[in-house]
Amino acid sequence: MSLDFYLYKNDEEILSLNISHNYGDMAESFGVYKALWHPEKHGITRAKQLIPILKKGIGKMGERDCSEPLERFVTKIFIACIKNPDATVKASR
């Protein structure tokens, strides 16, 4: 099982990433799980809504040990959100 995370701009896919659900507990400990795994349940529809959440989570990752795949996953999403703040967020589990 895994998470497929997407950003769309004008109905065009601009980001598509996948990560194992095995990183879910770690993502929760850094405060990014709900926003990335279940954005629709938390009212997150646009990339700009993720920016402060991911920024805080990345800061926490820098303070503690974090799995490299999770850190890369979150960082790629963060950068894409900054470049495309009005992109639509979608997650598939």
Side-chain angles (χ1 to χ4, degrees):
M1 302 282 298
S2 63
L3 167 69
D4 295 312
F5 184 89
Y6 306 96
L7 290 179
Y8 290 92
K9 190 171 183 179
N10 301 325
D11 295 326
E12 180 181 334
E13 185 180 282
I14 57 173
L15 179 73
S16 174
L17 293 174
N18 175 279
I19 195 163
S20 170
H21 280 306
N22 292 337
Y23 293 103
D25 288 342
M26 185 176 286
E28 179 68 34
S29 74
F30 293 114
V32 299
Y33 177 82
K34 291 176 185 174
L36 296 179
W37 267 256
H38 301 282
E40 70 286 349
K41 290 183 181 179
H42 301 283
I44 296 171
T45 58
R46 299 286 178 200
K48 62 186 163 193
Q49 295 171 283
L50 288 173
I51 294 171
I53 297 166
L54 300 181
K55 183 177 181 178
K56 187 175 180 180
I58 290 168
K60 289 179 182 179
M61 289 176 191
E63 295 169 2
R64 302 184 304 195
D65 287 338
C66 178
S67 165
E68 187 176 320
L70 178 62
E71 190 169 10
R72 274 196 319 264
F73 178 78
V74 173
T75 300
K76 285 179 183 179
I77 295 171
F78 179 68
I79 291 167
C81 288
I82 289 172
K83 290 181 179 179
N84 303 282
D86 291 322
T88 302
V89 173
K90 298 208 184 224
S92 176
R93 297 152 305 278

